[in-house]
Amino acid sequence: MLSFTLTLGLQAFVILSTVTPSTPSPVVQSSGYLETRSSVLPLAASTIYEASVPTWHENLAVRANGQLLVTRMDAAILELIDPAATNTTPIIINNFGTAYAGCLGITELGSDVFYVVAAAPFGSNFAKTSGTSSVFKIDMNTFAVDANGNVVGGATITKVADLPTAGFLNGMTTLNVNAGLVVIADSLNGTVYTLNVLTGTYKVTIDDAKMKALSTAITPLGINGVKIRNGYLYFSNTGNPIFSRIPISSTTGCATGSSLVVASIPQVDDFVFRADGTAWMSQNQIQSESVVKNGVVTLVAGNNFSTILAGVTAGQFGRSTATANILYLTTNGGLAIPVNSSIVVPGKVAYIDTSQYS
Ligand SMILES: *[C@@H]1O[C@H](CO)[C@@H](O)[C@H](O)[C@H]1NC(C)=O
Ligand SMILES: *[C@@H]1O[C@H](CO)[C@@H](O)[C@H](O)[C@H]1NC(C)=O
Ligand SMILES: *[C@@H]1O[C@H](CO)[C@@H](O)[C@H](O)[C@H]1NC(C)=O
């Protein structure tokens, strides 16, 4: 199937490139007539690593060397998976222990230095039941594996800050490398924290109505994924079917203007931009991966009745030229909302080659 569409796509590009050289192959040729790009759908999802039930892969970051750092929410674990290796069994980078319920957002700030959200224990309404949520620094520069795959040097792990006022910290992204600023979504409170990872100081810098969950939402989680692009903070909202943006100051983390809805899309967990500006949205609660392009939403992989991407939580594109269109995805197998209300499958780390989708 993949090679079939690949072949057609390349043919179409060759044929059309003489006519419309500026068009990046939005159509493929089939049976003598032109179809829209929908003929490349659904995009195939391939498994890199499959865990057992219950495993909740929550979020991920891509190291410069192509390896994946994957956070888990069934326990407060950060693990490493090498998509290029023959053995993709995870290496545990750290288990943060039972003082935390799980790990969530992860972002790089500095070369091979990552920051991870560790969430305090919480109840069925996602409100904290004990302890405090924290952000940890994970310096991978000291991490080393020998030729046999044995870990010979651990990551250097330090706590950056406790955030006792936070509700449910979720997605995180880097705002300003030089100033050491990251932003973190508080899904329960519907706000954004800005944290200075150099000093450990933090505060709520954006509190916007579009970040709140609707009272009718199946979970009380609002803002979830956060990404910065062209001076805007883009954010998904799990409990309100909108994808929005707000201009943000890179020095303070405060909003510099009003928020705006970019697209209507339900039940999004985290999301990521491809280099071309399309946004790839992981709809955990409806087992679906969709793309937002120019405000239009298209389902590209999985669907609400399928286990292919059951409980897809977050995505990241590769960082090399060869992997720039490879979308790595984390899933929980349907632990949040089972497929067809009852089916839970092993959580996995998968990838989609998005090259054919323009
Ligand atoms: C966030 O929500 C929690 C739970 O509702 C609440 O206890 C806390 O005060 C809120 N934090 C802020 C900063 O409003
Ligand atoms: C979910 O239900 C639909 C409709 O009955 C069915 O077509 C589909 O195969 C079911 N999915 C799974 C994973 O069993
Ligand atoms: C998705 O499937 C669930 C059952 O698993 C159902 O309750 C829900 O209404 C469906 N949502 C959509 C958007 O199809």
Side-chain angles (χ1 to χ4, degrees):
M1 182 59 192
L2 186 62
S3 59
F4 176 72
T5 54
L6 181 71
T7 307
L8 290 178
L10 290 174
Q11 279 176 359
F13 184 74
V14 171
I15 293 163
L16 292 168
S17 59
T18 55
V19 184
T20 50
S22 62
T23 306
S25 63
V27 289
V28 297
Q29 193 174 43
S30 172
S31 312
Y33 60 92
L34 295 178
E35 297 179 338
T36 68
R37 64 170 180 258
S38 64
S39 56
V40 305
L41 299 178
L43 299 176
S46 308
T47 299
I48 294 169
Y49 165 72
E50 188 170 78
S52 53
V53 177
T55 306
W56 185 310
H57 300 114
E58 166 66 12
N59 219 312
L60 74 166
V62 182
R63 296 179 74 194
N65 69 6
Q67 295 174 337
L68 309 178
L69 287 170
V70 176
T71 64
R72 277 174 48 190
M73 225 177 68
D74 52 298
I77 290 173
L78 175 68
E79 58 194 24
L80 179 134
I81 293 174
D82 187 349
T86 41
N87 181 357
T88 54
T89 305
I91 293 172
I92 305 281
I93 297 294
N94 197 45
N95 186 334
F96 295 84
T98 53
Y100 299 100
C103 293
L104 291 102
I106 178 166
T107 192
E108 186 177 25
L109 193 159
S111 181
D112 223 11
V113 177
F114 296 83
Y115 294 84
V116 173
V117 169
F122 56 93
S124 56
N125 56 1
F126 292 90
K128 190 170 70 172
T129 50
S130 65
T132 177
S133 294
S134 309
V135 171
F136 287 87
K137 176 183 181 180
I138 316 291
D139 187 343
M140 292 298 291
N141 290 289
T142 54
F143 179 80
V145 179
D146 70 14
N148 299 318
N150 300 310
V151 177
V152 292
T156 305
I157 298 170
T158 28
K159 189 192 280 184
V160 173
D162 288 329
L163 292 90
T165 59
F168 188 74
L169 296 179
N170 203 324
M172 171 162 61
T173 196
T174 299
L175 175 66
N176 185 325
V177 174
N178 294 331
L181 301 180
V182 299
V183 289
I184 314 169
D186 184 336
S187 295
L188 196 58
N189 300 73
T191 54
V192 168
Y193 277 88
T194 299
L195 166 69
N196 184 322
V197 299
L198 306 176
T199 62
T201 57
Y202 62 88
K203 64 180 173 192
V204 173
T205 51
I206 306 181
D207 185 345
D208 187 271
K210 294 185 184 66
M211 297 175 173
K212 315 295 174 184
L214 300 176
S215 59
T216 49
I218 58 171
T219 47
L221 302 176
I223 183 171
N224 193 317
V226 284
K227 297 287 179 295
I228 312 276
R229 190 174 172 87
N230 299 333
Y232 290 93
L233 175 76
Y234 285 81
F235 55 96
S236 56
N237 187 321
T238 304
N240 187 349
I242 51 173
F243 176 46
S244 311
R245 74 179 196 193
I246 190 166
I248 186 171
S249 161
S250 64
T251 51
T252 65
C254 294
T256 58
S258 312
S259 59
L260 180 81
V261 173
V262 172
S264 294
I265 176 169
Q267 286 157 290
V268 181
D269 193 325
D270 211 317
F271 70 96
V272 65
F273 284 106
R274 196 169 64 178
D276 67 350
T278 52
W280 295 68
M281 322 292 288
S282 298
Q283 294 164 287
N284 174 357
Q285 298 173 336
I286 53 169
Q287 341 291 355
S288 303
E289 184 73 17
S290 295
V291 174
V292 173
K293 182 180 182 182
N294 300 329
V296 177
V297 179
T298 305
L299 175 68
V300 293
N303 67 68
N304 197 28
F305 310 103
S306 163
T307 55
I308 287 176
L309 288 178
V312 60
T313 47
Q316 282 290 342
F317 283 92
R319 293 171 62 168
S320 66
T321 307
T323 60
N325 289 318
I326 300 293
L327 176 62
Y328 298 107
L329 294 167
T330 46
T331 82
N332 63 31
L335 285 175
I337 306 287
V339 178
N340 288 354
S341 310
S342 61
I343 303 167
V344 177
V345 296
K348 63 186 175 183
V349 175
Y351 76 90
I352 292 174
D353 181 350
T354 72
S355 307
Q356 292 304 304
Y357 191 83
S358 54

